[in-house]
Structures are given as structure tokens and as C-alpha cells.
């Protein structure tokens, strides 16, 4: 029993050694070796150690043998330009019909040259090509031999020049001329018969290399050393391929001056056929001639390109090379450009549905263009506009609108059910005319003329009751204007005034005033329903146009038909105006929004609001008007722009005069610009509210969106501007203007003492003597809610260069005060 176990261990050791050597070429041997390693026990490893074998090391090598050692690393390649990838070289090999046309030469590329778009970085023979059983052995090939069993040994044997190997214990063995499979089978049989108790594992070692020549229009002509397994394509790729003017269809393999094979790379590229890709032998010559006849094809084919011809090809063969016709190809519209016998370009119209045209022989330089089907739709009716699903419908004779719009669910809920349009083309023309129908009558099945019979290419345009139909119909209006003839007016009418959608509309056949009202969305509630005014142009006299004004009734009995270019004005009913309102906010008995009549005054609305509350401070009221706000905003924008231009001009002058720029002055100017740009006009109108209420001053006529805000009684007096501590103080009747300024720390150096002014609580400005406006004496009493403003000194050196800066500072102060007063109401 012990002898049997020992024998098994020796077998495992020998088997592992054999499998490890053979596993580089055979995955089956590697799998068996890994299985043996997995079945070993500690006793097996100990007995093997005594025999001088380290099974752990052997199994480690077996595990590593299945990883990166078997990975074949590809040779590094670098991109290179080919005739299939660059426009410049494409022109060099383009057919004559294409080479002279710059655009076509850039778009069309010679087919197939991008196969060699990567150039090799080394020209060493490939040694990692797998060896098949039919590989023919020859001098220089090496066999890796492993003996195991009674005799254990490994060695490599190279076939010598005579075709023999000196095999241990067998002597010289002739292998040249045998296939790898035949040699392996023969050696295994002889070893089994002559070396008793020994088995053998045979694998291919290094392969012989040989020198061949790649000549002609090769990328780099010359002699190359390649593997004995190389074929024509292997040799071409290893040498960089063909040049940009080399032939792809006539690559010749020559041996001892005789033509052995001809390779057409189109077979490989288009059909994957490698039957003519034969193996090369030592000293073979791969000759690449210049490119043969060329023809190009473009248009609706799958692979537009420039193709090389072998001779005898027809137009259909060229289409087959290009992958066939595309799905949008119009086979009847082919055009073949060709050089005639006189050396000039000519064109042949060919119908690729006809056998005779498809078999038309090609010449060198031919250029075939396959046209596309037209986008022109025929025998369809299109549904557009305010529908759930726009689309085309197949047209048939006798088809009516009800066949297209059969259910109300096809239309959106906001559809105008009183009118829709049909845009129809004239026969054999793109000019249009416009018809109308009532969708409600069509869906109800009423016996009216609304269910129009449709023609091919009709457009059914459904309108929205609330959408901008003028914009929706603008393309048709533009088309009607464009198709007008000399001496005629476009079939367009204009609706203006009190219609819901004023603008230009197509002149519908037989259109009346009522039809125009419907297509324009109907009359507004302010419309005068009795009549409308039509401005009409008469072009009947070719020497002079005449205009006329027609007053037409809007009653149902009116049958006046509109004419091209009529302008219809719908009037507003006399005395009608939109409801206008004023907002009373703050200390009113009943504050809120009040509607007012035309000519109503402010006091009237205040009386309707119950007057003021007991806490009302009417002297601090704020009255806002929208028209004033718009005017103030424009003035602010003008002043900001002027100030910015003046600042830029000043900086330019100082730069050109090489004067040092005062950064403090620049910062002050930029701060004023920033503050002015951030201001928003409020539109405050200063009113003497107490005098108005007591009839001592003229009352105010109200306008739309006026606002009157009356605050609660204010006890503050505020000092702002160029003082050391701008702050508000509790009103004290014993203090005057100078006292409040003293309490604020006095004036700054930059203050304009003579320009101090007071903004009263009602917004009125009081200045001492002079300025932009004239006001009361500076001895005016300071009252509650007043603001004392100390402006910048306009005589200061930093301010003097910009006179507008002082004006801007005053506007900033005053608008800020008004905005603060308004914010008080918002916060309350």
C-alpha cells in the first residue's frame, strides 16, 4: 500500500511539471494542473519534499500561468492620415468629375484607405500569432519538448537548414515539410515505441522569421522581416499599408518573378472574404500598383465615397459598392457626370429602375449622383392649430371636413367653435386662397354649407378662442401678400379698434363684416355695435389709385362684402370707458380702493371714504400718480447716463493730461452713480391736502391708479446728509434748523452750508435763497415729520468737476425720503 501511495505522489509531481511547461500553449493542460494542485494533501507535499520537489512553488507557478502570461499585447500604433480621412489627399485620387469641385472633393473620400489609419511603431515580426495544426514546419522553427515518466527532461529543438532536428535518444528526425500536427503525432508515436516508460509533451517554440519585400505604392516600401505565419494582409499592416495613391484591388504576391496571387481588399472590407489572403514565404514580393480607374457616388446611398474599379463595372455595381440605395433615394433621378470625347464634362440622366440604365458601363472619372425623394406631400389633408393632435390624413375623392374632424374630443376645450379656416392651394401652384367654416355646425351634422369638400393638400386651421390668432395666421397673410400681381391688391384685410384680436387677416372668399368680426375673435364689450368704418383703395384706374371711406352697418341685414386691402375700424361706444380706481391707504375711516367717475375730484372720494381718522396726519400725506412715476423714471435714466458719460470724459481728460487721478474723488463719483442707478421713481405729487379739504386750494382731478396715503401723526424731525451723525429727533417746537444740525454733530467739511434745505412732511422742499427752484424764506418753522437735508458742497474740489453730482445727490435724498414714507405704509 505504501508503495502505491509513493507512486501516486511521484505521478503528481511529474504531472505538475509537465502541465506547467505545456500550459502556456494549452488551456486544457493548465486546468488539469490546477486540479492536481487542489487535490494535494499535506502528506503528499511532505513526501514530495523528501524527494527534492517543492509542490507549493510548482502550484504557485501554475496559478500565475493563467494570468498575464497568456495575454497577447498588441503592437503599439500611432494614427496617420490617409486618403479616406483628409480632404487634401482625397483630391489627389478623386475622379476628374469630382476633383475640380471643391465641395465634393471635401465631402467624398476614397473608400477603404482608413484600414491603414494606424501606422506601426516597430517593424519587428509578430511572435504572438497562434499556431494551428496545419502550420508547415521549416528551417528555423523551434519545438519545445518535455519528457516525463521514466525519463524527465525538457529541451528546445530547432530545425536545421537540412530540415532535421537532433532528437535525444532518437537521432536526426526530418520535420521540414511536415505540418505541426503531423510532426507532433509522428514524434509521440516514435517516443512511445522507442523510449519505454516515457511520455512526451510537444509545443511550438519560437517561429522562424523570414524577409519579404513590400514594394510599389506602399506606405514605406522596403524589406521587412515577418513571421512565417504572416499573410499578405499581415505583411501590409506590419509595413504600414498602402500609400494614398496605391491600389486596394490589385495587390500582387510575386514569388521568383511569377504572380502567385492577387488580393482585392474590397473583398475583405465589404464581404469579410479572406480566401485570397494567402501566406507569404521567404523572399516573396508584395507589389502594390497605383490606383486604377476611379468612380465616385454621392446622394442617397448608404456609403457615398470614391471607389476603385477593376474594369467592366456598371452603374448598379457602383451602387452595390456604396451599400445600395438609401431609404429616401429616388431611383428615377440618377445623374451621371462624365468626360466626353472632346474633353468636356457632360451629364447623363439615368433611371435606376430600368435594366438598361443600371447596366450602363462606367468610365474612369464618372461621378454618379442619386437624388432624394421630395418632401412635397401629395394626397394628404393636414389638421393644424388648436387641436389635441396635429397631423396628416390620407385624402380621397369626396372627402369632407367631417371625415377629418368627426368628434369634439379632437379639439381643445378653448377652441373657437364659430369659425375655422381651410387654406387651399390653386391647381399646379403654390398660391393659396382661404375658405372658412363653422366647426360647431360640422360636428352637429347641421345641413349647412360648412362641411366643405376637401382637396388634396388642404390645410384645416382650427383657431383658439383666447390665443394670438394674428400670429398664428401671419404665415398665410405673408404668403397672400407675396403672391399679389401688378395692379392688384393683396387679399388681406385689417381689423382695428374694438375687436379682441386686432391685426391683419386673410381675405376669405365672400368675406363680410360679420366674418371679419368672427375671425378677429368678436367685438369687445366697449365696441359700438351699430356701424364700422371701411377704408378702401380702388386700383381700377391704372394711372391713379383712389381711396374711399365706407360707413357700413353692423346689423344682421348688412351684406357688404370686403375687398382686398380693406381697413376696417371698429369704434368705441360713446361715453364708454374702463372702470378707473383710486387707492386710499392709511388713516381713513374706510380705507380701500374706490371707483370714480369721469371728472370726480379727490375730496369727493375722501368724503365717500368717511374722511380721516382722529390720528390722521394730513400734513404728511403722500400722493402717487403713475404718469408722474413714468416721467420720473425716464429722467432718472437720463441723469444716470449723463453722469456716467461726464465721469468717463473727465477720467479721459485727466489720463491724457497725465494728471494723477484722485481715487477718493473717483470712489465718491462711483458711489453716486451706484446709488442713482439703484433708485426707482415713485411718482410723488406734492399736494396741500389740508388746504384742499378746506377749499383753500384747487381740488385734484383723479386719474387711473392714483394712490393717496395718509399716515398717523409723526413726532420726528430727521437730519440727513453731510452731518456727523444723521439721525431723527423728537419734535421740539423750541428748536430751529440750526439746533437740530448741532444735535447731529454739526456739519462736515464737505457740507454746503448755504445749500441746506428742508423737505416738509408733505414732500414740499424749502430752500433758503437760491437753487434750481425758488421757495419760501429759510426762516420757515421746522414742523413734525420734516427732514433737514445737508447737501454736498458744490465748491469742493472733488465735486466741482461734476456739477451734475450735486443735482444727483439731491434727487437721491428726495426719492429716498419718498420711498421711506411709502415703506412705512407697507410695514403697517
Amino acid at each position: 500500500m505504501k508503495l502505491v501511495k509513493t507512486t501516486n505522489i511521484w505521478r503528481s509531481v511529474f504531472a505538475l511539471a509537465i502541465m506547467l511547461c505545456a500550459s502556456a500553449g494549452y488551456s486544457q493542460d493548465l486546468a488539469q494542473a490546477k486540479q492536481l494542485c487542489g487535490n494535494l494533501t499535506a502528506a503528499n507535499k511532505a513526501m514530495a519534499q523528501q524527494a527534492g520537489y517543492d509542490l507549493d512553488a510548482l502550484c504557485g507557478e501554475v496559478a500565475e500561468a493563467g494570468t498575464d502570461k497568456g495575454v497577447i499585447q498588441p503592437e503599439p500604433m500611432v494614427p496617420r492620415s490617409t486618403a479616406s480621412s483628409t480632404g487634401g489627399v482625397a483630391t489627389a485620387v478623386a475622379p476628374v468629375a469630382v476633383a475640380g469641385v471643391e465641395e465634393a472633393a471635401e465631402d467624398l473620400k476614397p473608400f477603404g484607405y482608413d484600414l491603414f489609419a494606424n501606422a506601426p511603431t516597430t517593424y519587428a515580426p509578430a511572435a504572438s500569432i497562434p499556431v494551428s495544426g496545419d502550420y508547415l514546419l521549416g528551417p528555423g522553427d523551434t519545438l519545445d519538448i518535455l519528457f516525463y515518466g521514466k525519463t524527465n527532461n525538457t529541451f528546445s529543438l530547432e530545425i536545421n537548414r537540412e530540415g532535421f532536428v537532433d532528437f535525444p535518444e532518437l537521432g536526426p528526425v526530418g520535420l521540414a515539410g511536415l505540418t505541426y500536427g503531423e510532426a507532433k503525432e509522428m514524434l509521440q508515436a516514435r517516443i512511445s515505441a522507442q523510449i519505454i516508460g516515457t511520455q512526451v509533451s510537444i509545443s511550438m517554440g519560437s517561429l522562424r522569421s523570414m524577409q519579404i519585400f513590400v514594394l510599389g505604392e506602399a506606405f514605406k516600401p522596403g524589406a521587412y522581416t515577418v513571421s512565417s505565419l504572416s499573410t499578405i494582409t499581415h505583411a501590409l499592416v506590419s509595413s504600414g499599408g498602402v500609400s494614398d495613391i496605391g491600389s486596394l484591388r490589385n495587390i500582387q504576391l510575386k514569388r521568383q518573378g511569377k504572380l502567385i496571387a492577387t488580393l482585392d481588399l474590397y473583398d475583405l472590407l465589404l464581404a469579410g472574404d479572406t480566401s485570397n489572403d494567402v501566406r507569404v514565404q521567404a523572399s516573396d514580393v508584395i507589389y502594390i500598383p497605383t490606383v486604377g480607374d476611379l468612380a465616385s457616388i454621392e446622394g442617397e446611398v448608404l456609403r457615398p465615397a470614391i471607389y476603385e474599379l477593376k474594369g467592366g463595372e456598371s452603374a448598379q455595381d457602383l451602387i452595390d459598392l456604396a451599400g445600395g440605395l438609401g431609404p429616401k433615394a429616388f431611383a428615377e433621378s440618377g445623374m451621371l457626370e462624365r468626360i466626353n470625347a472632346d474633353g468636356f464634362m457632360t451629364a447623363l440622366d439615368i433611371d435606376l429602375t430600368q435594366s438598361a440604365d443600371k447596366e450602363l458601363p462606367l468610365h474612369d472619372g464618372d461621378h454618379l449622383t442619386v437624388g432624394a425623394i421630395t418632401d412635397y406631400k401629395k394626397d394628404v389633408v393636414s389638421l393644424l392649430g388648436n387641436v389635441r393632435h396635429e397631423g396628416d390624413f390620407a385624402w380621397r375623392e369626396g372627402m369632407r371636413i367631417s371625415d377629418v374632424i368627426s368628434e369634439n374630443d379632437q379639439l381643445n376645450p378653448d377652441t373657437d367653435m364659430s369659425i375655422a379656416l381651410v387654406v387651399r392651394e390653386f391647381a399646379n401652384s403654390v398660391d393659396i386662397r382661404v375658405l372658412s367654416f363653422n366647426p360647431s355646425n360640422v360636428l352637429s351634422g347641421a345641413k349647412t354649407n360648412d362641411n366643405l369638400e376637401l382637396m388634396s393638400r388642404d390645410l384645416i386651421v382650427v383657431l383658439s378662442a383666447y390665443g394670438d390668432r394674428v400670429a398664428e395666421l401671419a404665415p398665410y397673410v405673408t404668403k397672400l401678400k407675396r403672391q399679389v400681381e401688378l395692379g392688384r391688391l393683396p387679399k388681406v384685410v385689417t381689423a382695428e379698434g374694438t375687436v379682441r384680436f386686432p391685426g391683419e387677416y386673410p381675405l376669405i372668399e365672400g368675406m363680410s363684416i360679420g366674418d371679419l368680426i368672427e375671425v378677429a375673435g368678436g367685438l369687445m364689450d366697449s365696441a359700438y355695435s351699430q356701424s364700422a368704418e371701411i377704408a378702401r383703395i380702388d386700383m381700377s384706374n391704372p394711372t391713379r389709385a383712389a381711396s374711399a371711406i365706407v360707413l357700413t352697418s353692423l346689423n344682421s341685414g348688412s351684406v357688404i362684402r370686403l375687398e382686398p386691402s380693406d381697413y376696417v375700424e371698429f369704434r368705441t361706444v360713446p361715453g364708454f370707458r374702463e372702470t378707473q380706481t383710486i387707492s386710499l391707504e392709511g388713516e381713513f375711516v374706510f380705507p380701500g380702493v374706490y371707483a370714480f367717475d369721469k371728472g370726480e375730484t379727490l375730496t369727493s372720494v375722501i368724503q365717500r371714504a368717511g374722511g380721516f381718522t382722529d390720528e390722521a396726519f394730513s400734513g404728511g400725506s403722500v400722493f402717487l400718480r403713475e404718469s408722474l412715476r413714468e416721467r420720473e423714471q425716464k429722467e432718472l435714466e437720463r441723469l444716470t447716463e449723463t453722469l456716467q458719460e461726464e465721469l468717463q470724459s473727465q477720467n479721459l481728460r485727466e489720463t491724457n493730461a497725465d494728471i494723477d487721478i484722485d481715487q477718493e474723488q473717483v470712489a465718491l463719483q462711483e458711489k453716486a452713480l451706484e446709488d442713482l442707478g439703484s433708485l426707482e421713481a415713485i411718482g410723488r405729487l406734492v399736494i396741500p391736502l389740508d388746504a384742499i379739504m378746506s377749499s383753500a386750494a384747487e381740488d385734484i382731478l383723479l386719474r387711473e391708479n392714483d394712490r393717496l396715503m395718509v399716515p398717523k401723526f409723526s413726532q420726528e424731525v430727521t437730519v440727513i446728509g453731510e452731518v456727523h451723525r444723521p439721525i431723527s429727533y423728537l419734535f421740539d417746537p423750541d428748536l430751529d434748523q440750526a439746533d437740530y444740525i448741532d444735535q447731529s454733530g454739526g456739519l462736515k467739511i464737505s457740507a454746503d452750508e448755504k445749500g441746506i434745505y428742508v423737505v416738509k412732511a408733505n414732500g414740499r422742499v424749502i430752500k433758503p435763497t437760491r437753487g434750481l427752484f425758488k421757495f419760501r424764506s429759510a426762516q420757515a418753522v421746522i414742523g413734525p415729520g420734516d427732514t433737514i437735508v445737508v447737501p454736498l458742497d458744490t465748491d469742493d474740489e472733488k465735486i466741482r468737476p461734476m456739477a451734475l453730482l450735486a443735482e444727483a445727490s439731491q434727487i437721491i435724498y428726495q426719492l429716498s425720503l419718498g420711498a421711506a414714507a411709502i415703506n412705512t405704509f407697507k410695514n403697517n
Side-chain angles (χ1 to χ4, degrees), residues 86-88 90-91 94 98-110 306:
T86 58
T91 307
V98 176
V101 183
E102 182 178 354
E103 293 79 3
E106 291 180 356
D107 293 339
L108 292 180
K109 312 298 179 189
I306 302 170

Side-chain angles (χ1 to χ4, degrees), residues 166-492:
D166 295 326
F167 212 99
E169 302 187 31
L170 293 182
V173 179
L175 297 180
L178 297 178
T179 65
Y180 170 58
E182 292 172 343
K184 185 176 180 180
E185 183 179 353
M186 183 266 290
L187 289 174
Q188 288 176 338
R190 289 189 59 179
I191 290 171
S192 299
Q194 298 181 27
I195 307 177
I196 305 301
T198 301
Q199 299 185 42
V200 65
S201 172
I202 304 173
S203 62
M204 284 298 302
S206 59
L207 303 178
R208 69 182 183 275
S209 60
M210 57 187 180
Q211 188 179 64
I212 64 167
F213 298 91
V214 182
L215 304 175
E217 297 300 331
F219 175 60
K220 288 191 175 180
Y224 291 91
T225 300
V226 297
S227 166
S228 56
L229 290 175
S230 297
T231 63
I232 298 176
T233 55
H234 290 150
L236 287 175
V237 173
S238 298
S239 63
V242 302
S243 71
D244 292 336
I245 60 172
S247 172
L248 297 182
R249 308 201 66 183
N250 190 27
I251 300 174
Q252 303 170 9
L253 176 64
K254 296 184 177 183
R255 186 173 298 152
Q256 298 178 354
K258 297 181 180 180
L259 181 63
I260 302 301
T262 300
L263 176 63
D264 184 352
L265 283 178
Y266 279 22
D267 292 339
L268 174 64
L269 294 171
L270 299 177
D273 182 5
T274 60
S275 57
N276 292 325
D277 187 19
V278 299
R279 285 181 180 169
V280 296
Q281 296 183 14
S283 300
D284 278 356
V285 174
I286 297 176
Y287 177 72
I288 306 170
T290 56
V291 67
D293 292 346
L294 295 169
S296 56
I297 184 171
E298 66 175 341
E300 294 301 316
V301 291
L302 298 181
R303 192 169 43 242
I306 302 170
Y307 292 92
E308 183 180 355
L309 305 178
K310 297 185 70 173
E313 286 92 347
S314 64
Q316 183 60 49
D317 294 330
L318 182 58
I319 292 174
D320 293 340
L321 288 175
L325 299 177
K328 293 187 177 181
F330 186 50
E332 299 177 8
S333 68
M335 183 182 69
L336 186 69
E337 297 179 61
R338 172 172 291 174
I339 308 168
N340 60 22
D342 298 330
F344 294 97
M345 295 295 301
T346 186
L348 305 175
D349 292 330
I350 60 175
D351 184 353
L352 295 174
T353 63
Q354 302 296 322
S355 298
D357 287 352
K358 289 194 291 186
E359 298 302 323
L360 181 70
L362 294 177
H363 295 175
D364 186 19
D366 281 355
H367 177 69
L368 178 60
T369 302
V370 180
I373 60 174
T374 179
D375 291 334
Y376 184 85
K377 295 179 181 180
K378 192 174 181 181
D379 294 336
V380 297
V381 173
S382 300
L383 180 62
L384 308 172
N386 198 52
V387 295
R388 296 188 186 277
H389 302 287
E390 294 184 335
D392 298 331
F393 296 81
W395 174 81
R396 64 182 184 277
E397 289 284 351
M399 187 177 188
R400 295 188 175 273
I401 293 177
S402 58
D403 297 323
V404 178
I405 305 177
S406 57
E407 297 180 357
N408 195 47
D409 290 341
Q410 293 178 256
L411 309 179
N412 289 330
D414 61 339
T415 297
D416 188 341
M417 301 300 292
S418 62
I419 190 169
L421 304 181
V422 174
V423 181
R424 177 168 296 169
E425 293 181 350
F426 289 100
N428 300 320
S429 173
V430 294
D431 291 346
I432 62 172
R433 57 194 179 110
V434 182
L435 310 173
S436 66
F437 66 94
N438 186 305
S440 180
N441 290 340
V442 172
L443 291 172
S444 66
K447 295 181 179 180
T448 62
N449 295 326
D450 292 291
N451 195 14
L452 301 174
E453 183 175 350
L454 297 173
M455 305 297 291
S456 176
R457 292 184 53 81
D458 276 354
L459 303 178
I460 303 174
V461 183
V462 180
L463 303 175
S464 169
Y466 309 108
D468 185 1
R469 58 183 63 185
V470 174
E472 186 175 355
L473 299 178
Y476 311 114
V477 171
T478 302
K479 201 167 187 178
L480 288 169
K481 289 181 177 180
R482 192 168 55 242
Q483 70 189 38
V484 66
E485 299 176 357
L486 181 64
R488 296 182 179 273
L489 295 172
K491 293 184 177 181
V492 174

Side-chain angles (χ1 to χ4, degrees), residues 490-519:
K491 293 184 177 181
V492 174
V493 293
T494 303
E496 293 292 345
T498 53
V499 289
R500 297 192 182 278
F501 302 103
E504 291 183 316
Y505 291 93
L507 177 63
I508 301 170
E509 294 187 359
M511 191 177 198
S512 65
I513 289 288
D515 296 330
L516 179 59
I517 292 173
E518 286 186 347
V519 78

Side-chain angles (χ1 to χ4, degrees), residues 527-545:
Y528 182 60
S529 61
Q530 300 302 308
S531 63
E533 198 172 77
I534 304 175
R536 179 166 292 170
I537 300 175
D538 184 3
M539 295 286 290
S540 58
N541 185 353
T543 63
R544 185 184 181 91

Side-chain angles (χ1 to χ4, degrees), residues 529-602:
S529 61
Q530 300 302 308
S531 63
E533 198 172 77
I534 304 175
R536 179 166 292 170
I537 300 175
D538 184 3
M539 295 286 290
S540 58
N541 185 353
T543 63
R544 185 184 181 91
S547 60
I549 302 298
V550 180
L551 190 64
T552 178
S553 173
L554 297 183
N555 295 328
S556 58
S558 175
V559 292
I560 294 181
R561 301 297 180 187
L562 296 178
E563 298 180 4
S565 294
D566 276 357
Y567 178 96
V568 184
E569 180 72 29
F570 295 93
R571 302 178 182 276
T572 302
V573 64
F576 181 88
R577 70 185 185 95
E578 297 288 341
T579 301
Q580 296 180 327
T581 60
I582 180 176
S583 176
L584 301 182
E585 306 173 30
E587 296 304 309
F588 295 93
V589 176
F590 299 105
V593 177
Y594 287 84
F596 59 86
D597 293 331
K598 184 177 180 179
E600 190 170 358
T601 61
L602 180 60

